[in-house]
Each structure stands twice: as structure tokens, then as C-alpha cells.
Amino acid sequence: FAGVLSNPRLMTVQSLIVVMNQNVTMSCCSASASPPVRYTLFKHNQQVCSLNSSDSSPALFTLTISSASDVGPYKCKAEYNSSTDGKYSNSLTFTLIEPISKPVLSSPTSHTLQGQKVTLSCFSENGSLPITYLFFKGKQSISPQKTMHTREAAVTFLFVNSSADSGTYKCKANNSFPNSTKYSNSFNFTLAEERSHSQPLIISLGLLLLLLIIGLALAIPFLIIPSYKASE
């Protein structure tokens, strides 16, 4: 005598987070079923495959996630061969993740004045969201982690108060893809204040030299004429 079918339970043997071309296995089982039971897997309400279970063990379906359309949703149907009515399981949807590309660190300007507020942006063009960014100066982080849930750059602001604040900046990015951390290019600011100290000195020396030339030009007649008269 066939028992009353309960709604089957669809589970994944692995994590629901998958990478491209990964094999996944789903199990489907109705706890109250009396074998034999026919289990059918559906994706987007389209039949994928069917298995007949002759004992109480779950039906196992193995698939390859080869594109974004393979993530689901999946459902399983349990039914007796002699029955036209079946029971459906819960729904399962996988999350497809991809590694991030090398982030790019940039700023609207690479030249700054002392005490000026500057902007640093870090952006990975490819990779599954969310992406977490962290900014560094040397090996020291300079801001809290910034997790971006949309495809846009993480931004941080800083003040360049001295030459020590002008170099070398980097950022790193990572997402849920295993071992996905990547580091950006290096970025340095040029502190314009360093060059401005020498400008007043050059101007002063130029004026002093000009005054010296003028002074000599004015003094030469007074030096030549007395010596000329003395020789007569």
C-alpha cells in the first residue's frame, strides 16, 4: 500500500555559492513516501530529469553550472507511478560568483598643496558583488573597509599636510570568491609646497644680483674718472 506523499525536501550537498563550471548535486526525498517513488527535477518549471527510487534513499541529481541561467530556481516533484498527483518541494537557487579584476587606484589630481583635501578612488571593473575595498598608505590601512553592493568605486578622503603624506598609496579588493584578494597599482601625490619654498629664495637672489649690477654700473664712473685725472 502506497503511503501518503509528503512534500519532498530539495537540498544541495555543497554550498549554494558556486563558481563557473562547478558540478553541483541536489538531493530530493519525501519522508513519508513508500517506494517506489518517481522524483523529477525542474528548473524554471522546465523538466530537467527524472529518477525512480526503489527504496527510501533520496534521489540525487548532479548538474554543471556553466552559465548564469543554470543557477535556478530548482524544484523537485515526488509522485507514485500510479498517481497523477504529485507533491512539490521547496525552491533552491544557486549564487554564481566570479573573481574580481585587479582594482585601479586613482585620484582627480596627483599634485596637491600643503593641507589640501584629496580624493582616492578604488574600483574593480569585474567580479561578483558585493566587493570590499581597503585603502593603504605603505602597509598601514588609512580607512575602514568599504563594502560596495553596486558597481561603483569606493572613495576615501585625506589631507596631505606634509611630504610624508604624499606617497605611496594602494588599495585592495576582494569578494566572496575563494582567495580572490587583489591589490591595485601604486599612487603617489606630489606636494607643490616643496617647490614653493625655493621660489622666494630665487627671486631674492635675482633682485640682489640686479641691485649689485646697478650699483657697479653707477660706481664705475666715479672709479674711472678719479684715476683718469690722476694720470694727467
Side-chain angles (χ1 to χ4, degrees):
F1 172 76
V4 177
L5 273 174
S6 60
N7 289 87
R9 185 180 181 191
L10 184 64
M11 297 185 297
T12 177
V13 176
Q14 301 90 355
S15 168
L16 283 172
I17 298 175
V18 296
V19 299
M20 193 73 77
N21 297 320
Q22 180 178 331
N23 291 331
V24 296
T25 300
M26 288 172 280
S27 69
C28 184
C29 186
S30 176
S32 65
S34 299
V37 181
R38 183 177 179 83
Y39 293 100
T40 304
L41 184 69
F42 293 87
K43 181 183 74 173
H44 294 297
N45 298 320
Q46 296 292 317
Q47 182 174 326
V48 178
C49 57
S50 293
L51 293 172
N52 291 315
S53 177
S54 58
D55 54 30
S56 57
S57 60
L60 297 177
F61 301 98
T62 299
L63 305 171
T64 301
I65 307 295
S66 55
S67 70
S69 64
D70 293 330
V71 298
Y74 291 95
K75 279 190 176 183
C76 175
K77 180 183 180 182
E79 59 188 333
Y80 292 122
N81 291 332
S82 59
S83 173
T84 56
D85 294 325
K87 294 291 183 69
Y88 286 89
S89 72
N90 54 298
S91 177
L92 274 187
T93 302
F94 293 93
T95 300
L96 181 64
I97 59 170
E98 62 174 332
I100 53 175
S101 56
K102 180 179 178 179
V104 175
L105 183 65
S106 61
S107 176
T109 179
S110 60
H111 303 281
T112 180
L113 297 172
Q114 188 173 12
Q116 184 176 339
K117 184 180 181 181
V118 293
T119 304
L120 277 175
S121 300
C122 187
F123 181 64
S124 286
E125 187 173 355
N126 299 311
S128 303
L129 297 170
I131 298 176
T132 299
Y133 296 94
L134 187 61
F135 294 87
F136 292 89
K137 178 176 170 290
K139 294 184 179 180
Q140 184 71 37
S141 62
I142 58 171
S143 69
Q145 287 190 155
K146 298 179 184 293
T147 300
M148 309 303 293
H149 294 270
T150 56
R151 188 73 60 187
E152 59 182 319
V155 175
T156 191
F157 303 96
L158 53 111
F159 289 94
V160 180
N161 291 314
S162 68
S163 58
D165 296 324
S166 61
T168 299
Y169 292 89
K170 278 191 175 186
C171 70
K172 73 173 182 179
N174 67 279
N175 62 3
S176 55
F177 192 91
N179 304 314
S180 69
T181 300
K182 287 189 173 66
Y183 288 84
S184 73
N185 53 296
S186 298
F187 191 92
N188 294 74
F189 290 101
T190 300
L191 190 60
E193 188 67 23
E194 293 174 350
R195 297 195 304 272
S196 65
H197 288 308
S198 60
Q199 290 173 356
L201 180 61
I202 293 171
I203 294 170
S204 299
L205 288 174
L207 288 173
L208 186 62
L209 182 61
L210 182 63
L211 289 172
L212 184 61
I213 292 170
I214 293 172
L216 285 173
L218 292 173
I220 284 173
F222 294 101
L223 294 172
I224 293 175
I225 291 171
S227 61
Y228 173 75
K229 286 182 178 181
S231 61
E232 288 182 343

